Amino acid sequence: MALKIVYPVCCGIDVHKSFVVACIAATDDKGVTTYQRRRFSTFTGDLRLLAQWLAEHGCRDVCMESTGKYWIPVYNMLESTCKVVLAHPKYVKAIRGKKTDTKDAKWIADIFKHDLVSGSFIPPFAIRQLRDFMRYRVKLTSFSVGEKNRAQNCLTVSNIKLDDVFSDVFGKSASAITEQLLAHPDGDFDVAPFIHRRCKASPDKVQAAVDGLMCSEQAEKLKIIHSHMDSL
């Protein structure tokens, strides 16, 4: 029993970093499929030519594999003029020993014309951009947490016990005292002017907490960490 042709005119695209190979599969009423193949670079101008080439052949149904991040510019270029199905590489993998760029594109077109490819969900462009920003925000937050941990480590190895007298080592009072510590690593300064009136710890206890042994190397490291935190 012959498989049903769902997409009489469709295209399979094999995506690489520097180029894509596109294969248009056109099936006539008798079930005979003819193929047209072209290779395009991934420069924007050539991707426009790809979109134009597909339009000239009346091809609006496209399937391509999601190769790394390289599929994104191709998808962005084609989504306004074509219905693009993005497939996981394991679902469009060619038979072992039969792989070439041209054959891969033809294989994708062949299985796609029978609607045998399970496409991935791709949200609209605006949502994709929002997701990208949110992922970046998560990474920045992770970097910030890491730098705070490193800053706390500098204080710990220097036996400066700010975490014993302040609930937040990066709060207003603790930060002001830390800045003074960087200016006076030996702790020879009065902490009272830098303690907020709502602080529960007494000035004497805070003074005892900053009596540590911060070497110049740890002080320099802490300065670098603070500059990183200020830029995040």
Side-chain angles (χ1 to χ4, degrees), residues 101-112:
D101 296 330
T102 302
K103 288 182 179 179
D104 282 351
K106 179 178 179 294
W107 172 257
I108 294 171
D110 278 336
I111 60 176
F112 180 58

Side-chain angles (χ1 to χ4, degrees), residues 133 148 185 218:
F133 276 118
K148 285 184 176 181
Q218 290 296 330

Side-chain angles (χ1 to χ4, degrees), residues 126 129 133 145 149 160 162 179 216:
Q129 299 308 305
F133 276 118
V145 171
N149 290 338
I160 295 172
L162 289 182
E179 290 297 326
S216 58

Side-chain angles (χ1 to χ4, degrees), residues 140-167:
L140 289 180
T141 302
S142 177
F143 291 154
S144 178
V145 171
E147 291 292 65
K148 285 184 176 181
N149 290 338
R150 282 182 277 275
Q152 179 59 54
N153 183 63
C154 287
L155 297 176
T156 300
V157 299
S158 301
N159 204 34
I160 295 172
K161 303 288 190 175
L162 289 182
D163 55 331
D164 283 356
V165 292
F166 294 110
S167 58

